[in-house]
Amino acid sequence: MPQQSPPPSPIAPSVAGVDVGGTFTDAVVLTADGPRLAKVPTTPRDQGEGLVAAIEAAGQRPADDLRALAHGTTTATNAVLERTLDRAVLLVTEGFADVLTIARQNRPSLYDLSAVRPAPAIPRDMVVPVPERITVDGEVLHPLTDEALDDVVAATVALQPDAVAICLLFGWADPTHERRLAAAVGRALPDVHITVSADLVGSIREYERASTCALNAAVGPTMGRYLQRLSDRLPDTDVTVMTSGGGTADLDRMVADPVHTLLSGPAGGVVAAAAAARSAGFDNAIAFDMGGTSTDVCLIRGGEPVVSLAGTIDGLPIGTSTIGIHTVGAGGGSIASLDAGGALRVGPRSAGSDPGPACYGRGGTQPTVTDAHAVLGHLDTLAGGTMTADLAAAERALAGVEGVTATGILDVVRAAMARALRRVSTEAGVDPDSLALVAYGGAGPLHASALARMLGCPATVLAPAPGVLSAVGLLTAAQRREWSRTVMVSPDRLRDTLDALPLDERAGAPDDDGDVRTVADLRYVGQAHELRIDVDPDAGGDLGTLAAFHRRHEEVYGYALPDADVVVVTVRRISRRPALHTDAVTGWDLGPATPATTRTADLGNGPETVAVVARGSLRPGDTVTGPAILVQPDSTGLLLHGDVGTVDAHLNLVVQHG
C-alpha cells in the first residue's frame, strides 16, 4: 500500500522528481502548496507503471499540468546486472577482436583460484573485425576500402543484431572510419541502435572505450523502448533522466547514450546529500544511502561529490565520468542466511518489493534486515503509517533459520556497510573524523548513528525528508552534457590546444542561463592514471592549472613532484543548464506534530524504554536526546545513547555523537 501525502488543492502546474529503487519508487512533486512526497512499490517489469503510480500517490494526476519530470531509473542498470542484454555486434579494428575478452590483466582476487571474470557485454562470437588502421596521431595507416566496408556490413547484417557498437583503434584521434561504418550500417539496418566510440568516449584506453561502447549498445534498445513508453504515458511532460555524472539529460540523449544512466538513481541522492551537508555547515561528508536492496556511499569534498574517471558496473568498466559511488548489496530487504560453513550472511539477495520482507505481510518467509528492526521494536508501522508491521511474521522468519538473531543480522549488515564507508574514506586517504555522515534512503537513518560511531564521524545529518532524498536530488541537479578528447600535450600548450578544439555540439553551447566548464586530466609522465583539474583562465592560466595539479596530487596521494614532467592527457568540456528547481526545497510536511511517546525497544543493550519523536513536531532550535526513535512519513531513524540532535534553520537534524 503506497505511502502518500494529502493531495494538494488546487492542483497547479508542477514539476516532479521520481527515483526508482529496487524496492520502492520515490516521488517528490513540487506544487503551489509545497512539496508532496510518495513511496510506492517498484514495478520491475515496467518501471513506468510505478513511476506514474508514485506521482498519483503524491496527489498529482500526471496528465494535469505536470510540466516537467526528472527521472532516476535503474532500467539499464538492471539489464546489466541481470544480464538481460540486447543482441549487439561490436565492430573493432582487425587484430583486436579479443579486446573485451582479454580485458585487463589485473586480478581483483589475487589468491582466489576459482575467481571468474565478468562476461563482457558483447560475446566474442558477435565481434566483427574491420580491416583498417589509424595511428595514435590520427594518420591513416590502412585505409578502409569500399569493398572491405561492404564485407563488414554484410557480416554484421548476418548476425541479426538489435544494436551495433563501433570502436576502432585510435578512433578518437580520427573518427572518419567509424563514421563511415555507422553510415553504412545505418543504411543496411535502419532500425538498429548504433554507437560510435568517437562520439561517446573521445579518450584513450582501448579496453575501457570498447567496454563502454559495448555496454551502451547492449542496453540501447531496452532503454529506448522504456523511454518511449514513458514518453507515451506523459506526452505533455518535459522528461529528463539523471546521468551517472550527477546531471540530467533529455530523452533523445539518453536514447542515444543510455550508458550514462548506469548509475542514474544513486547519483541523484549524492547530489542532494552534498547540498544537505553544505546547508548544515559541512563541506566534507560521506553520502550514505541505504535503500531496500543496496547501499550506496560516496565521498563529498569541498561541498561537491567526488567524480570518478573509472566507474564500473558488475566488474565492467565505464569510460565516462561518474560520481564516485561504491555500492554493496546491503539494504532493508537483504535476506539473512547461513553459508556452507554455518556463518551468518546478509545479502546480496533481497526480498525486493514482492513479496518483500516478512513483516510486510505479503507472504515473505525469509528473514531480512527490516524484519530484524521490527523484532527489536524499531518499527511498528511502515510506509508512513499506511502499513502495520506484521511482527509475528517477522519473528517466524527469524525463527526459521537456526541461530539467527535480530541483533546478529544488524551487526553483520552494519559491518558490510562500514567496509563500504571506509572504502571511500580511509582507503582514499581521508580521515572520517573530519567528515559528517549524511544518511538517507528509507533505511539509512536507522543505521546512521551506529555507523558514524564505528567510523569515528563526529556528526550525522538527517535531511528533512531523507527517505526521498534521491528524488529531491533529481529536481535540483543541473542539466549536464560532457565532451572529451585526448590531446597528450604538455601543460604549457594547454591553452593553445583548447583554443584549437571545437566546442562539440554534443556538449552543447552556453546560453543565457547556462555555462561551459573546462577540465583537464593530468598525470606525471610515467603514471597510469590521471587527476581531474579545473581549467580556470583567471587562476594563472596554464601555470595555474599545473600548480593546482601538484596540490591535488599531494592531497590525494600524500606527495607531489613539482620538478617532474607533467602531461595533459584529456580535456573535457562540460555544459550545465539550470535544474528544474534551482532553490532549496522547502515547506516539507514531515507528518503530524504529535507529542513524544515511549516504546520498548532494543538498541543494542537489551530491551529498554525509548522515546518516540515525530519529526513533524520539531522546529528549528529544538533538540532530541538519544535514545530515541524518529518517525516521519518517508523513513524512521534511531538515536543512540549519548546522541544529541539539533534542528537547524533548514530543518536538518544534525546529530552530534557522544
Side-chain angles (χ1 to χ4, degrees):
M1 187 172 180
Q3 176 271 317
Q4 62 186 48
S5 298
S9 178
I11 291 177
S14 57
V15 297
V18 180
D19 174 58
V20 178
T23 304
F24 285 107
T25 294
D26 301 339
V28 173
V29 180
L30 302 186
T31 73
D33 296 332
R36 302 285 170 165
L37 61 88
K39 272 183 178 290
V40 303
T42 290
T43 50
R45 293 184 180 179
D46 185 353
Q47 294 183 3
E49 293 180 5
L51 179 147
V52 172
I55 294 172
E56 292 176 341
Q60 173 72 58
R61 292 188 296 275
D64 294 335
D65 295 320
L66 183 61
R67 177 172 56 83
L69 166 71
H71 180 25
T73 175
T74 56
T75 297
T77 309
N78 292 343
V80 175
L81 297 179
E82 298 167 7
R83 283 300 197 268
T84 55
L85 300 171
D86 294 297
R87 183 177 176 85
V89 164
L90 175 64
L91 307 185
V92 298
T93 300
E94 194 172 61
F96 293 84
D98 293 305
V99 60
L100 294 182
T101 305
I102 295 173
R104 294 290 179 192
Q105 294 305 295
N106 58 318
R107 291 177 62 90
S109 303
L110 188 60
Y111 301 106
D112 185 357
L113 300 180
S114 62
V116 178
R117 288 185 177 274
I122 298 177
R124 176 62 176 82
D125 59 1
M126 295 294 284
V127 179
V128 176
V130 180
E132 67 83 47
R133 187 66 176 266
I134 289 175
T135 71
V136 68
D137 297 319
E139 297 180 4
V140 177
L141 190 64
H142 184 173
L144 175 61
T145 65
D146 291 341
E147 182 181 3
L149 183 64
D150 292 340
D151 291 342
V152 169
V153 171
T156 301
V157 171
L159 291 171
Q160 300 180 318
D162 298 313
V164 175
I166 304 170
C167 185
L168 304 181
L169 189 67
F170 304 128
W172 53 268
D174 181 355
T176 304
H177 287 178
E178 289 193 348
R179 288 177 177 155
R180 282 183 62 201
L181 281 166
V185 170
R187 289 191 295 270
L189 298 169
D191 297 325
V192 163
H193 184 280
I194 298 175
T195 299
V196 177
S197 81
D199 294 335
L200 184 65
V201 188
S203 54
I204 60 170
R205 297 194 173 91
E206 186 67 13
Y207 167 56
E208 286 76 9
R209 234 177 10 107
S211 174
T212 306
C213 291
L215 285 166
N216 195 70
V219 300
T222 293
M223 193 66 175
R225 290 189 294 269
Y226 169 68
L227 293 179
Q228 183 59 58
R229 291 195 301 271
L230 183 60
S231 181
D232 292 342
R233 284 189 171 106
L234 305 171
D236 300 320
T237 303
D238 180 15
V239 180
T240 56
V241 179
M242 190 70 186
T243 69
S244 307
T248 60
D250 58 41
L251 287 189
D252 288 343
R253 177 77 188 282
M254 291 300 92
V255 169
D257 299 335
V259 72
H260 291 296
T261 70
L262 289 176
L263 296 176
S264 170
V270 175
V271 170
R278 291 194 304 269
S279 70
F282 299 98
D283 285 339
N284 300 316
I286 306 178
F288 163 57
D289 177 8
M290 184 180 181
T293 305
S294 62
T295 291
D296 303 304
V297 299
C298 181
L299 181 64
I300 297 167
R301 298 298 300 270
E304 297 292 337
V306 170
V307 175
S308 172
L309 301 179
T312 61
I313 181 169
D314 199 27
L316 302 177
I318 309 170
T320 60
S321 296
T322 62
I323 287 181
I325 296 169
H326 179 62
T327 302
V328 293
S334 292
I335 295 171
S337 61
L338 301 180
D339 66 12
L344 177 60
R345 295 284 182 265
V346 181
R349 290 191 306 124
S350 173
S353 58
D354 185 15
C359 65
Y360 281 14
R362 295 175 175 167
T365 59
Q366 296 176 295
T368 68
V369 175
T370 299
D371 294 317
H373 283 297
V375 168
L376 292 172
H378 305 162
L379 301 170
D380 59 357
T381 60
L382 303 161
T386 62
M387 180 190 300
T388 299
D390 189 336
L391 180 59
E395 291 174 336
R396 287 195 301 270
L398 266 69
V401 182
E402 185 178 356
V404 172
T405 65
T407 55
I409 290 174
L410 296 192
D411 286 344
V412 171
V413 76
R414 284 171 177 169
M417 293 186 293
R419 286 194 296 271
L421 291 165
R422 292 188 182 102
R423 176 76 175 269
V424 300
S425 56
T426 52
E427 293 182 24
V430 180
D431 193 336
D433 69 7
S434 65
L435 305 171
L437 187 67
V438 184
Y440 56 104
L446 283 168
H447 299 265
S449 287
L451 290 171
R453 291 163 182 255
M454 292 171 70
L455 265 72
C457 297
T460 291
V461 177
L462 301 180
V468 294
L469 198 65
S470 290
V472 175
L474 297 172
L475 288 165
T476 57
Q479 298 184 56
R480 183 182 186 278
R481 303 185 84 174
E482 180 173 318
W483 173 87
S484 63
R485 184 67 71 228
T486 290
V487 293
M488 303 299 288
V489 298
S490 61
D492 59 2
R493 292 181 53 201
L494 176 58
R495 186 65 45 192
D496 292 339
T497 301
L498 289 172
D499 291 342
L501 290 174
L503 180 61
D504 192 283
E505 62 180 7
R506 293 174 67 82
D511 54 29
D512 292 340
D513 299 319
D515 64 85
V516 173
R517 170 187 169 208
T518 301
V519 298
D521 303 338
L522 287 77
R523 69 187 184 200
Y524 291 120
V525 172
Q527 286 184 320
H529 298 284
E530 300 81 47
L531 291 175
R532 171 175 288 191
I533 305 297
D534 277 290
V535 178
D536 185 353
D538 299 323
D542 294 345
L543 291 178
T545 302
L546 181 59
F549 167 72
H550 291 308
R551 290 194 301 271
R552 180 68 175 146
H553 198 280
E554 184 163 14
E555 179 182 283
V556 173
Y557 299 111
Y559 73 96
L561 302 172
D563 296 326
D565 291 334
V566 176
V567 61
V568 178
V569 178
T570 300
V571 294
R572 305 174 190 270
R573 283 191 169 120
I574 303 166
S575 72
R576 294 163 56 91
R577 291 185 174 86
L580 288 184
H581 189 75
T582 55
D583 301 320
V585 179
T586 59
W588 289 105
D589 177 6
L590 301 182
T594 57
T597 59
T598 60
R599 179 191 307 167
T600 299
D602 185 347
L603 272 61
N605 299 310
E608 60 181 308
T609 300
V610 178
V612 180
V613 179
R615 282 289 296 265
S617 66
L618 300 177
R619 299 293 180 266
D622 289 351
T623 61
V624 181
T625 301
I629 297 173
L630 303 169
V631 294
Q632 61 187 101
D634 55 301
S635 70
T636 301
L638 289 180
L639 267 60
L640 304 181
H641 285 276
D643 288 345
V644 178
T646 304
V647 182
D648 68 13
H650 303 281
L651 292 185
N652 298 306
L653 185 67
V654 182
V655 183
Q656 304 291 334
H657 303 294

